[in-house]
Amino acid sequence: MSLIKLTVSGISYSHTQNGAYALILEEEVGSRKLPIVIGAFEAQSIAIAIEDDIKPPRPLTHDLFKTLADRYSIIVKEVIINRLLDGVFYSSLVCVRDGVEETIDARTSDAIALAIRFYAPIYTYKDILDRAGIILNAEEEQEEEEAEDQKVPYSGEDIASQVEQFLEEEAKANDYSSYTKSDLEKMLDDALSNEDYERAALLRDELNKR
């Protein structure tokens, strides 16, 4: 399967879904965007990595990983978003040490936060982008091209409505308020068995409310 290179376009915050963020990736050649729901901590970590002039007083978890990797000569060569299952993206870190290459499973938000710090390329498979990518309309494409021509940052506000809709759909998909306690417990067991820890955390929170 062919790989498509992605770049980080920005992070969008939902004005209707409290605490909901979407990391916006875009294909290097083309107009498709790939929105990925991430948590507030991951959004902060990615934003800090993007902005070189922002330095936290203490190292974040991803900064600590980078320091340890540098100390022991470990390089993150690339990140591959390799699977999309039930709306959840799965990724891998391709790492190199002493000429030996290892592939490590990682949450996509963590993988992207590390890719930025290591200046590592980000890839996904064509079928994943075909399934989950969104395409700008003609007017939005023209505005983005004009921003590039004028050498000014493209804010990503042009796809805000599409991202907002995406986040709303994700929120509905993760609304477990109508399920019984026994249903939630079974779903939690299934999520843990499938290593879908983000969904497991949502189910755990809903159970705690009961």
Side-chain angles (χ1 to χ4, degrees):
M1 291 183 287
S2 61
L3 287 170
I4 296 176
K5 190 173 183 180
L6 303 171
T7 59
V8 177
S9 175
I11 298 173
S12 179
Y13 175 73
S14 173
H15 297 288
T16 59
Q17 305 296 325
N18 187 31
Y21 294 84
L23 170 65
I24 310 299
L25 303 175
E26 61 181 341
E27 55 183 336
E28 190 173 60
V29 180
S31 59
R32 286 178 295 180
K33 312 287 185 180
L34 187 65
I36 300 174
V37 173
I38 60 176
F41 170 77
E42 290 78 10
Q44 179 191 51
S45 181
I46 291 171
I48 287 174
I50 293 173
E51 300 294 336
D52 293 332
D53 57 339
I54 300 177
K55 301 294 182 184
R58 300 288 292 167
L60 301 178
T61 302
H62 300 113
D63 298 319
L64 178 60
F65 182 97
K66 176 66 164 59
T67 300
L68 284 169
D70 289 343
R71 183 68 58 88
Y72 293 100
S73 303
I74 300 170
I75 299 171
V76 174
K77 177 183 174 183
E78 61 188 17
V79 164
I80 301 176
I81 302 172
N82 53 27
R83 191 156 58 108
L84 174 59
L85 180 63
D86 296 331
V88 178
F89 291 91
Y90 295 81
S91 296
S92 59
L93 296 170
V94 180
C95 302
V96 179
R97 181 173 184 267
D98 295 335
V100 178
E101 189 172 286
E102 298 282 353
T103 300
I104 303 172
D105 288 334
R107 293 193 311 165
T108 297
S109 54
D110 290 330
I112 301 301
L114 291 173
I116 297 170
R117 286 166 169 80
F118 281 90
Y119 302 98
I122 304 164
Y123 299 96
T124 192
Y125 291 108
K126 181 179 181 298
D127 68 310
I128 293 178
L129 194 57
D130 288 342
R131 289 161 55 195
I134 59 177
I135 302 175
L136 296 176
N137 61 41
E139 181 180 349
E140 290 166 342
E141 284 182 344
Q142 181 178 356
E143 290 178 1
E144 182 174 10
E145 289 173 359
E146 289 175 354
E148 291 176 354
D149 291 340
Q150 297 171 15
K151 306 300 182 184
V152 297
Y154 179 61
S155 67
E157 292 298 326
D158 304 293
I159 60 170
S161 60
Q162 295 179 53
V163 173
E164 189 76 35
Q165 181 181 359
F166 167 77
L167 288 170
E168 288 178 1
E169 290 172 355
E170 286 291 314
K172 290 177 182 177
N174 293 325
D175 182 7
Y176 302 110
S177 58
S178 61
Y179 290 90
T180 65
K181 184 177 180 181
S182 59
D183 287 338
L184 291 171
E185 290 172 344
K186 182 179 184 305
M187 292 166 70
L188 177 58
D189 290 338
D190 291 341
L192 291 172
S193 298
N194 294 326
E195 298 184 1
D196 187 353
Y197 300 118
E198 292 185 8
R199 181 162 296 177
L202 293 172
L203 290 163
R204 177 206 60 201
D205 291 343
E206 183 62 34
L207 281 168
N208 289 338
K209 292 178 184 177
R210 308 292 178 91

